[in-house]
Amino acid sequence: MFGLQYIWDSILQYEAMLRSPYFPVLFSITVYLSFCLPFVVLDVLSPRVALIRRYKIQQKTSVSWTMMWSCLALSLYNHAMYIFPLSVLHWYWRPVSYPAMAPGLLRVIWDLAACLLLFDFQYFVWHLLHHKVPWLYRTFHKVHHKYTSTFALATEYSGAWEILSLGFFAAVNPMLLGVHPMTEMLFHMLNMWLSVEDHCGYDLPWATHRLVPFGLYGGAPHHDVHHQKFKSNYAPYFTHWDKLFGTLHSE
């Protein structure tokens, strides 16, 4: 509790910045690109360094600067044209309140798990529908499947509808569950990290799916198969929904 309180007190020193309408979009793009950067370095080095290439899931593929720039440009465009205006509207209609007290550690863990599991379910349903209904796939989701070999900067290579609808789930879940603002920030960071890791294209020894036991978490190999096969592994993180609906595929 005392450690979290110290961190929260340090964050509250920048409360004026937190209340700015610019903060959500700057927070989002900064965290996203920071998480992508290590994998971008791996993508640049992997064609030349065998030690890195051995962990690449699709070892015969490589990521070009053109591919990375195309993904980065679309991500910046989506943030400027869609996420920023909605952030301003949200700032205007629903001002954020920042309590003085930090949440307890167990409550943070519980709320993070709840937000993540709820998002995982929402994404699974959304994703399944956008593959099973041809019009939805063709109109909205197909752009995200331009690259059959995943890499980190392709995480947000999506059209406006996909960015906004999935972003809506991520934004509304902390409100629905009534979590502390600090927990909400941690959830957005965790959600972005797991999403980038899903698309990174590497099966690293310390990856999340290797840390979570009993095959409960799919991770990068799970999602890479989805980008190759298209008709399996619809859940973004955990495997239980794909197991339940018979859409789990592993290689």
Side-chain angles (χ1 to χ4, degrees):
M1 174 63 182
F2 294 110
L4 290 179
Q5 188 62 53
Y6 176 79
I7 295 171
W8 183 237
D9 289 341
S10 301
I11 292 173
L12 288 181
Q13 293 180 14
Y14 303 94
E15 186 171 350
M17 183 183 72
L18 299 177
R19 293 185 180 277
S20 166
Y22 302 101
F23 175 74
V25 69
L26 291 175
F27 175 81
S28 174
I29 195 66
T30 301
V31 171
Y32 171 65
L33 293 179
S34 297
F35 288 160
C36 285
L37 183 58
F39 297 112
V40 170
V41 173
L42 294 182
D43 286 334
V44 172
L45 294 177
S46 64
R48 303 172 183 84
V49 182
L51 180 62
I52 296 174
R53 191 165 59 251
R54 64 181 291 190
Y55 294 110
K56 190 168 175 59
I57 297 171
Q58 297 189 44
Q59 296 190 3
K60 294 182 179 180
T61 64
S62 59
V63 183
S64 68
W65 287 106
T66 301
M67 292 162 63
M68 288 191 280
W69 170 246
S70 176
C71 292
L72 177 60
L74 182 58
S75 181
L76 293 174
Y77 175 84
N78 284 335
H79 275 79
M81 296 302 296
Y82 305 113
I83 298 176
F84 175 63
L86 288 177
S87 298
V88 173
L89 291 175
H90 183 270
W91 167 82
Y92 180 77
W93 278 319
R94 189 180 178 273
V96 181
S97 175
Y98 294 102
M101 295 298 295
L105 179 59
L106 292 179
R107 183 59 188 267
V108 169
I109 295 172
W110 175 267
D111 286 345
L112 282 175
C115 286
L116 200 62
L117 287 168
L118 180 56
F119 179 82
D120 190 73
F121 168 70
Q122 293 163 330
Y123 192 115
F124 172 79
V125 174
W126 184 98
H127 204 184
L128 186 67
L129 286 173
H130 281 71
H131 274 269
K132 296 299 183 182
V133 180
W135 180 80
L136 289 176
Y137 178 82
R138 186 172 58 252
T139 308
F140 299 116
H141 189 49
K142 185 178 180 180
V143 62
H144 184 65
H145 279 276
K146 177 179 179 179
Y147 301 106
T148 56
S149 178
T150 54
F151 58 99
L153 283 172
T155 304
E156 292 191 359
Y157 191 81
S158 304
W161 166 250
E162 183 161 348
I163 287 289
L164 294 177
S165 54
L166 296 180
F168 173 77
F169 295 147
V172 79
N173 288 351
M175 290 188 286
L176 289 175
L177 297 173
V179 309
H180 191 280
M182 182 180 183
T183 308
E184 183 176 355
M185 291 180 192
L186 290 172
F187 165 65
H188 289 310
M189 293 176 69
L190 177 62
N191 198 31
M192 276 190 271
W193 167 253
L194 295 178
S195 187
V196 168
E197 188 188 47
D198 259 9
H199 290 83
C200 73
Y202 293 90
D203 188 0
L204 298 168
W206 54 83
T208 306
H209 70 279
R210 294 187 177 276
L211 303 178
V212 178
F214 311 120
L216 297 174
Y217 189 89
H222 177 264
H223 197 68
D224 194 87
V225 168
H226 170 74
H227 273 259
Q228 292 184 63
K229 307 292 184 183
F230 297 148
K231 296 181 179 180
S232 60
N233 299 1
Y234 297 111
Y237 307 137
F238 301 99
T239 57
H240 54 275
W241 291 114
D242 281 305
K243 289 178 181 176
L244 185 63
F245 283 82
T247 55
L248 184 67
H249 184 95
S250 60
E251 291 211 327

